[in-house]
Amino acid sequence: QVQLVESGGGEVQAGGSLRLSCATSGFDFNLYCMGWFRQVPGKEREGVAMITYYKQTSYADSVKGRFTIFRDTVKNTLELQMDTLKPEDTAMYYCAARGLERPCNVLYSSDGDHMGQGTQVTVSS
């Protein structure tokens, strides 16, 4: 059973940084594309960053140059370093595991992906 548990969310002022973590279990981490999505109430969930086993990455245009995604293939964890945070980054952030049958790209929706419960990030101005 795939389990994804996010941590590291919180409240920070604009310009600040946060680092999210995702602990995983119940599946072969090396066979999945991993990523982060976010969602604001009333809006669709959007892809933030994704990473393949070979460390190829895909980022949403809105976070390029500010966010960095990492995967640790020894600890089977996923992280998201978020710098220069903006109020519009405020959202619930979800860790995702995607099978290899779908492209490892943020432009593809999270439908069919395994998702965690989320961690809230709030950026105040």
Side-chain angles (χ1 to χ4, degrees), residues 9-23:
E11 186 167 352
V12 65
Q13 289 192 330
S17 298
L18 281 175
R19 192 175 182 100
L20 305 184
S21 294
C22 176

Side-chain angles (χ1 to χ4, degrees), residues 17-20 66-70 79-83:
S17 298
L18 281 175
R19 192 175 182 100
L20 305 184
R66 300 188 298 121
F67 290 12
T68 307
I69 189 170
F70 301 93
E79 295 188 338
L80 184 69
Q81 176 66 38
M82 304 186 295
D83 297 317

Side-chain angles (χ1 to χ4, degrees), residues 26-77:
F27 65 105
D28 189 338
F29 186 73
N30 294 333
L31 294 182
Y32 281 75
C33 160
M34 299 297 299
W36 292 94
F37 285 77
R38 66 186 181 187
Q39 189 168 22
V40 175
K43 293 190 176 181
E44 289 190 1
R45 186 176 295 171
E46 65 169 341
V48 175
M50 303 205 80
I51 186 168
T52 69
Y53 170 78
Y54 296 104
K55 310 289 178 69
Q56 296 168 313
T57 57
S58 170
Y59 292 95
D61 287 343
S62 59
V63 307
K64 281 180 182 176
R66 300 188 298 121
F67 290 12
T68 307
I69 189 170
F70 301 93
R71 68 186 292 165
D72 186 323
T73 55
V74 174
K75 297 180 180 178
N76 289 351
T77 57

